[in-house]
Amino acid sequence: MKITIFGATGNIGKLLVKQAIDEGHEVVAYVRDPSKIANYKYQNLSIVKGQLNEYKKIEYAIDGADAVMSMLGPAMTGKLVGMPISEGTQNIVNAMEKLGVKRLIAIATPSVSDPNDIPTIKIKLIKVFAKISMHHAYSEILNVGDIIQKSDLEWTIIRYLQPTNDNKKGKIRHGFVGRTNLGMKVTRADIADFSLKQLTDRTYIRKMPAISN
């Protein structure tokens, strides 16, 4: 497939780019700073430099894609200003709808609820903590989830709590909060792997699976 990846220079994004190319996909990476992946010398990788508020560049990067993958997420800090990820996500959705690109795979936390969830005490406490200590990031995560859910796209939002840099374990628990025995941690490599599998797996179309190791 031809895949456009946003957030390609992040910790998960870099792993996703490499694995996607290793699996034979053609990747268009939309990045603010191309120097962060300058050492990625892949024949099937092209780079579009741009900001999340530059709609025309986003549209250019998405044009001709079979799917879009967004590894964008706000920094977990209380010092953020504005809603850049929300604006970028809205631009991505608008461009996809205009160009007829249907498949979108994105990431979030369980702060964004799926109708299939059964709220647990643990998740409720985590949401309260996030809302108080990281209010801006929490609000943006909810906003991004809302933008995607209101779209006409075939979207999947992959939710997780605590990403780690451990080696890929290859075993992922996935399902819905309160219905699946989920842990707190998941490796970034496993997040990338699970995300790529959604390109051909339609189990979670217009759903938000939560995952862990």
Side-chain angles (χ1 to χ4, degrees):
M1 294 184 179
K2 182 178 181 182
I3 309 165
T4 301
I5 298 178
F6 293 86
T9 59
N11 291 328
I12 298 171
K14 288 181 180 179
L15 295 169
L16 184 64
V17 168
K18 185 178 186 304
Q19 183 172 337
I21 291 173
D22 286 345
E23 292 184 4
H25 299 293
E26 179 184 349
V27 173
V28 177
Y30 189 87
V31 301
R32 182 175 58 185
D33 183 2
S35 68
K36 292 185 177 180
I37 53 173
N39 62 327
Y40 280 36
K41 306 296 184 182
Y42 298 113
Q43 185 176 357
N44 288 340
L45 172 64
S46 56
I47 297 172
V48 177
K49 180 182 179 181
Q51 305 285 340
L52 292 176
N53 62 357
E54 295 184 279
Y55 174 79
K56 287 297 182 181
K57 289 186 177 181
I58 289 174
E59 186 179 297
Y60 173 78
I62 292 173
D63 194 10
D66 297 302
V68 173
M69 305 184 75
S70 173
M71 300 296 108
L72 298 170
M76 294 302 166
T77 172
K79 300 179 180 179
L80 299 174
V81 177
M83 290 280 185
I85 308 300
S86 299
E87 182 178 1
T89 300
Q90 188 66 70
N91 283 333
I92 291 167
V93 167
N94 291 346
M96 291 180 69
E97 291 181 337
K98 177 182 176 181
L99 296 168
V101 180
K102 287 293 186 182
R103 191 70 174 111
L104 173 63
I105 298 160
I107 57 173
T109 72
S111 292
V112 183
S113 299
D114 186 281
N116 294 290
D117 289 344
I118 300 175
T120 65
I121 294 297
K122 180 174 74 173
I123 292 299
K124 288 179 179 179
L125 290 174
I126 289 171
K127 286 183 179 182
V128 170
F129 175 78
K131 187 175 183 179
I132 294 172
S133 64
M134 298 172 285
H135 179 71
H136 191 284
Y138 174 83
S139 297
E140 181 141 58
I141 288 171
L142 295 184
N143 199 35
V144 167
D146 190 54
I147 290 168
I148 294 174
Q149 291 176 78
K150 287 180 177 177
S151 75
D152 293 326
L153 303 176
E154 294 182 347
W155 52 263
T156 299
I157 299 176
I158 299 165
R159 302 174 297 162
Y160 55 87
L161 280 171
Q162 189 175 340
T164 73
N165 290 323
D166 296 337
N167 292 331
K168 183 169 71 174
K169 299 182 184 297
K171 293 183 178 180
I172 299 178
R173 296 177 183 178
H174 55 90
F176 299 101
V177 171
R179 296 182 184 273
T180 305
N181 184 20
L182 297 166
M184 293 286 288
K185 297 180 179 181
V186 61
T187 73
R188 290 182 170 89
D190 282 307
I191 296 170
D193 184 61
F194 186 83
S195 298
L196 273 176
K197 285 181 169 61
Q198 304 316 300
L199 292 173
T200 54
D201 189 338
R202 300 185 64 82
T203 302
Y204 292 118
I205 296 290
R206 299 186 69 82
K207 296 178 181 178
M208 294 181 276
I211 66 172
S212 75
N213 287 127

